[in-house]
Amino acid sequence: MAIHPIVVCGEPVLHAPAAPVESFDAQLGELVSDMRETLAASNGVGLAAPQIGVGRRIFVFDADDDEAGVHRSGVFVNPILVATRVPEGRPDPDDDSEGCLSVPGLDFPLKRAHRVTVNGRDEAGEPVSLTVEGWFARIMQHEFDHLQGTLYVDRLEGKWAKRWKKAKAELGYGEPGESWLPGTDPDPFGH
């Protein structure tokens, strides 16, 4: 197993749809193990393959699901996500805040659907399914977006989109070649 660098906004793999996984083999198992180790070192709650520079339809997650009162950890390969409607109105900066390991050090409020169901396969090719609500549904939508080539900051509206644009310019995000190595580089979220 190995910890991989996490690429930053501007890296082309983050802004293009990921390719489906076709072979459920030892190489896929090793990639998923590396993703889990990278996620643990990053102190994050989810990590998609494009975030480590691999344009494949895979994401891992590991976090408490407060709505259900359980800890959830797993992987989705070639996932399909079905969500309820995103509520109308402005996002609440306290309740709807979101961050991303590929947009290090920043967070912005974004409305998300309250409930989602994700269906896919695990690294062995076995079917997996998960229906979650609240914050955990946010995690699933965020990681699924990565597989579509969409970052959460691409969805920001109004003043939050303007603040992102300003922060992006100040931090120099948006150019290829930037990354950070969890467990070695300083944690951009201060964990």
Side-chain angles (χ1 to χ4, degrees), residues 159-183:
K159 71 179 179 181
W160 304 113
K162 290 178 184 173
R163 289 183 185 179
W164 158 239
K165 186 177 179 181
K166 181 179 178 184
K168 181 179 176 183
E170 288 174 358
L171 295 168
Y173 292 165
E175 296 295 323
E178 295 295 321
S179 67
W180 65 282
L181 186 61

Side-chain angles (χ1 to χ4, degrees), residues 3-18:
I3 296 172
H4 292 255
I6 295 176
V7 297
V8 174
C9 175
E11 193 64 32
V13 70
L14 292 173
H15 306 284

Side-chain angles (χ1 to χ4, degrees), residues 68-173:
V70 298
H71 185 86
R72 298 188 189 277
S73 180
V75 59
F76 277 103
V77 179
N78 298 335
I80 297 170
L81 182 141
V82 178
T84 58
R85 287 185 87 145
V86 176
E88 292 187 23
R90 294 184 177 150
D92 183 308
D94 295 323
D95 295 332
D96 297 322
S97 187
E98 196 164 318
C100 180
L101 297 172
S102 290
V103 186
L106 298 174
D107 60 85
F108 296 100
L110 176 67
K111 285 279 194 186
R112 293 279 194 180
H114 179 71
R115 181 181 171 98
V116 301
T117 297
V118 186
N119 294 300
R121 304 267 174 192
D122 66 13
E123 65 268 40
E126 295 298 317
V128 287
S129 182
L130 183 63
T131 299
V132 289
E133 296 181 348
W135 185 69
F136 218 88
R138 177 179 296 277
I139 296 169
M140 296 294 103
Q141 292 167 85
H142 181 106
E143 299 310 326
F144 185 79
D145 273 357
H146 276 299
L147 307 183
Q148 311 308 107
T150 302
L151 300 176
Y152 89 102
V153 289
D154 297 331
R155 295 186 177 278
L156 298 175
E157 297 178 353
K159 71 179 179 181
W160 304 113
K162 290 178 184 173
R163 289 183 185 179
W164 158 239
K165 186 177 179 181
K166 181 179 178 184
K168 181 179 176 183
E170 288 174 358
L171 295 168
Y173 292 165

